[in-house]
Amino acid sequence: MTYRIVGIMGLAATLLLPVAAAAQLNVVTSTTDLADIARAVGGQYVKVKSIGAGYEDPHFIQAKPSFVLDLRKADVWAFVGLELESGWMPLLLDGARNPKIRAGGTGYLDVSKAIDVIDVPKGGVDRSQGDVHALGNPHYWLNPDNGIDIAKLFEDRFAKLDAKHAAVFQANRKVFEAQVKATEAQWNTMRAQTKGKPVVAWHASWKYLAEYTGVNIVGYMEPKPGVPPSPSHLAALIATIRKTGAKVIIMEPFYDRKMADFVAKNTGVKVLVLPSSVGGVKGVDSYLKLISHNLSQLAAAVK
């Protein structure tokens, strides 16, 4: 009887022992869009944090000490690349002193390597051309076709760092891709409404969305990337809008819309503020919701 009681008590003690948590890769991303896709692929085996918030301009992130600490513990540093983060990333990486996430390290992940980049300049680039990205347009996540390529890149890297769960990462990536394809049936209806429609954009960031939706960007609020519009540029843009019949100006929430409102007042176009990243506006808390929101808003605006 004594042995039986001891055996039962021993079993109970074993059952009460805490279950070891699944090992997780610490993943830090530069944007919320990359973070959401990384979570979808990594599932329970990754812990993901984004440096940038969805409502911030990713070119200009404040390099906070807390970000240095996050990167110091990171197994993966995934960033947009194409010089999008060049103003703040080097400072954070230098402060983190983490060889895994430095160039050449196992966790250094330049996501642009998975993308067919557009707007790669031909010839030399200098400051007279504005804030031109010498390696091409970095806002590629706004085309959901690229979202699928980003997911595959995460799968491959996570599998290399955590081979034991490679099959899980592959299955998760396939689920994400299937969700994109399923939602695309709705997106295609909206794309049919936007194809060929003339629009004005504030910044060249919307070219990938234009590529996917088929809208025709007939002009930009910026005369050159990062350069504010002059009176002469605004006059020319107003003439272009009247000539082409454009009905909308697309811009991000972090730009001052005063000049866009001026153009709208003089032409009758609508100023359409769209989030460029997950979390850019309330309720847009996933990558699929970001694409759906932007396509539905754009389709309604160009009718």
Side-chain angles (χ1 to χ4, degrees), residues 52-290:
Y55 52 81
E56 293 180 301
D57 185 341
H59 295 86
F60 305 107
I61 301 296
Q62 184 180 357
K64 299 178 182 178
S66 60
F67 298 154
V68 172
L69 297 178
D70 291 331
L71 288 168
R72 189 168 294 168
K73 297 180 291 184
D75 298 302
V76 177
W77 164 238
F79 60 101
V80 172
L82 304 176
E83 300 180 339
L84 182 76
E85 302 94 347
S86 62
W88 53 269
M89 186 174 95
L91 181 63
L92 292 180
L93 292 185
D94 288 344
R97 298 180 181 179
N98 181 350
K100 290 188 290 188
I101 61 168
R102 304 285 298 198
T106 56
Y108 183 86
L109 190 58
D110 181 348
V111 180
S112 70
K113 300 303 181 183
I115 306 299
D116 290 328
V117 179
I118 64 174
D119 288 347
V120 180
K122 296 179 181 179
V125 174
D126 57 56
R127 298 306 300 174
S128 68
Q129 297 169 281
D131 294 332
V132 175
H133 290 278
L135 302 178
N137 191 319
H139 302 273
Y140 50 78
W141 66 87
L142 289 166
N143 182 332
D145 290 337
N146 291 333
I148 291 174
D149 294 333
I150 293 169
K152 185 65 173 67
L153 188 70
F154 276 126
E155 179 204 333
D156 293 343
R157 184 56 56 94
F158 293 166
K160 287 180 181 179
L161 296 176
D162 183 6
K164 184 170 63 174
H165 299 114
V168 176
F169 300 141
Q170 182 184 60
N172 289 346
R173 189 266 305 167
K174 287 182 177 179
V175 168
F176 174 80
E177 185 171 336
Q179 290 173 336
V180 172
K181 295 296 185 184
T183 313
E184 201 162 37
Q186 303 171 21
W187 295 342
N188 286 340
T189 300
M190 302 173 198
R191 292 165 74 190
Q193 297 169 2
T194 59
K195 186 175 181 180
K197 296 295 179 66
V199 301
V200 171
W202 184 282
H203 186 65
S205 49
W206 298 106
K207 279 195 172 182
Y208 286 97
L209 180 68
E211 181 182 60
Y212 186 73
T213 61
V215 296
N216 177 25
I217 299 178
V218 296
Y220 290 92
M221 289 294 300
E222 295 177 328
K224 296 178 182 178
V227 176
S230 64
S232 61
H233 177 73
L234 291 177
L237 187 61
I238 289 171
T240 297
I241 291 171
R242 290 171 176 165
K243 180 180 179 181
T244 61
K247 294 183 178 180
V248 62
I249 299 172
I250 307 170
M251 64 181 294
E252 292 92 336
F254 43 75
Y255 289 125
D256 185 348
R257 59 179 287 168
K258 182 169 62 176
M259 290 295 98
D261 286 336
F262 172 81
V263 173
K265 183 178 179 180
N266 285 274
T267 59
V269 300
K270 178 180 180 179
V271 177
L272 180 62
V273 180
L274 295 179
S276 56
S277 286
V278 172
V281 297
K282 187 177 180 180
V284 179
D285 54 6
S286 74
Y287 182 72
L288 291 181
K289 287 183 181 178
L290 172 71

